[in-house]
Amino acid sequence: MSKTILITGASRGFGQLWTKAFLQQGYQVAATARNLASLKELKAEFGSQLLPIQLDVTDREAAIQTVQQTHQQFGHLDVLINNAGYGLFGSVEETSEQQARDLMETNFFGLLWLTQAVLPIMREQGSGHIIQVSSVLGLITWPNVGLYNASKFAVEGLNETLASEVSDFGIHVSLVEPAPYATDYAGSSAVRTQPLPAYEPLKARLQAGYADLPVGQPEATTAAILQLIESEQPPLRLLLGKLAYPLIKQGYNSRFAEWDAWEEVTTAAQGV
C-alpha cells in the first residue's frame, strides 16, 4: 500500500525536493507551506496525489486541522516530517526577546503541535513514523547561531524522549541531522540580529572559515530520506553529509576529555 506522508516547509529547500521525490515514488503527500503558489507546479503534475495545505506551524489549531484534513483525505497517515524551520544569525547578546520567541515558536513549538496531533492517529493504527528535521547543530554548537542551536537541542531532547514513550505503539521516531547544505538556510529565509561592534572580529573569523567549508548538495539527500522512510527499523538519528560524522565525533571527544579531567571532582560531589 502506498504510504501517506505529511511534510511541512515544502515551499523550498529540502522540503520541496523531498516532496517531489515522494510523489515520484508514488506516495500520497500532504505538503504544507505558508504560500501555496510554491506548490502549484507539483499540483499540476501530480494532481490528487498531492494535497497542498496552507499552514503557519506556530498556529496550534491550524496544525491540528492539517493533520485531520490529511487523514480524512487519504484514510491513513504513515509518516510525519517536521521540516519547517529557519535560521537566526547573531550572537546570544544581540538576540532580541521577540527574535528568540519567534524562532522557538517555529523550530520547536510548531514541531511539537504537529507531533502531538498525529500521535492519536498513529497509536490507533498501531504504526507510524515521525521524522524531525534537526541539525548537527542540535548535537554540537557553532558561534553566532546560539538560539538556533538551542532550538535544535530542544528538538533532540524532546524526540529522544518521545521515541522511548511511543515504541510500544509501533511508532518510530527519527531525527535527521544535516551538516551544511546549499539550501536557503542562510539566505532569504534567515533572520539576523542587530549587530554589536564587539562581535564583529568573531564574525569576520567565522566568515573566513565558512569560505572553505564543503557544502552538500540538497538533491543528494533524497535517496537517504527515501531509504529512511522505507526502513522497517529506522534509526533514531540519521546524520546527513560527509562533514556530519567528523564534526560530531570531534565535539563529543572534546566533551569526554573535559569530563574525564573533572571526574574526581564529579565523583566527590556525590557525598557518602
Side-chain angles (χ1 to χ4, degrees):
M1 184 172 62
S2 175
K3 290 183 183 292
T4 295
I5 300 172
L6 169 58
I7 180 169
T8 66
S11 63
R12 64 178 85 183
F14 288 141
Q16 186 155 100
L17 283 168
W18 296 347
T19 296
K20 185 173 184 178
F22 300 153
L23 293 166
Q24 291 172 334
Q25 197 74 8
Y27 301 148
Q28 297 169 320
V29 182
T32 81
R34 286 176 177 260
N35 181 4
L36 292 186
S38 60
L39 297 171
K40 187 176 180 180
E41 290 184 9
L42 288 177
K43 181 62 176 176
E45 182 177 355
F46 292 96
S48 62
Q49 193 183 337
L50 172 65
L51 174 63
I53 302 175
Q54 188 168 15
L55 176 65
D56 176 352
V57 298
T58 66
D59 184 337
R60 187 171 186 268
E61 288 305 313
I64 293 170
Q65 291 171 11
T66 293
V67 169
Q68 293 173 344
Q69 182 180 353
T70 302
H71 189 241
Q72 289 167 2
Q73 177 79 12
F74 297 118
H76 56 109
L77 209 176
D78 304 295
V79 182
L80 167 67
I81 303 179
N82 276 309
N83 171 67
Y86 66 92
L88 173 60
F89 290 82
S91 71
V92 171
E93 184 180 356
E94 292 169 344
T95 306
S96 72
E97 177 183 352
Q98 195 61 54
Q99 287 174 328
R101 291 185 182 278
D102 288 347
L103 185 79
M104 294 302 292
E105 285 289 343
T106 296
N107 288 13
F108 178 77
F109 285 106
L111 172 150
L112 175 60
W113 305 147
L114 283 150
T115 299
Q116 289 180 326
V118 301
L119 285 172
I121 293 171
M122 291 182 172
R123 282 194 292 103
E124 180 68 22
Q125 292 174 169
S127 65
H129 191 180
I130 298 171
I131 298 174
Q132 318 285 31
V133 179
S134 179
S135 169
V136 293
L137 298 183
L139 297 167
I140 59 170
T141 65
W142 281 354
N144 205 47
V145 282
L147 270 294
Y148 181 81
N149 290 329
S151 72
K152 294 304 186 180
F153 265 69
V155 167
E156 293 278 335
L158 175 76
N159 287 284
E160 185 169 318
T161 304
L162 177 66
S164 66
E165 294 175 344
V166 301
S167 60
D168 288 347
F169 306 125
I171 301 171
H172 298 285
V173 178
S174 295
L175 288 150
V176 174
E177 299 152 338
Y181 276 85
T183 65
D184 196 44
Y185 162 73
S188 61
S189 66
V191 174
R192 287 173 169 78
T193 61
Q194 185 66 35
L196 293 172
Y199 292 97
E200 290 310 309
L202 169 63
K203 293 177 184 179
R205 291 197 303 273
L206 291 171
Q207 193 62 40
Y210 293 154
D212 297 325
L213 198 66
V215 177
Q217 298 173 320
E219 297 81 1
T221 65
T222 56
I225 297 302
L226 288 170
Q227 186 173 345
L228 178 65
I229 286 173
E230 290 293 344
S231 174
E232 292 185 4
Q233 294 296 326
L236 173 60
R237 289 185 168 87
L238 175 63
L239 297 170
L240 294 181
K242 67 180 182 181
L243 278 181
Y245 182 75
L247 284 173
I248 300 305
K249 185 175 182 180
Q250 180 184 27
Y252 274 81
N253 284 344
S254 175
R255 292 181 187 186
F256 277 108
E258 189 167 71
W259 288 328
D260 287 344
W262 285 78
E263 183 181 8
E264 186 175 336
V265 177
T266 299
T267 304
Q270 172 72 18
V272 294

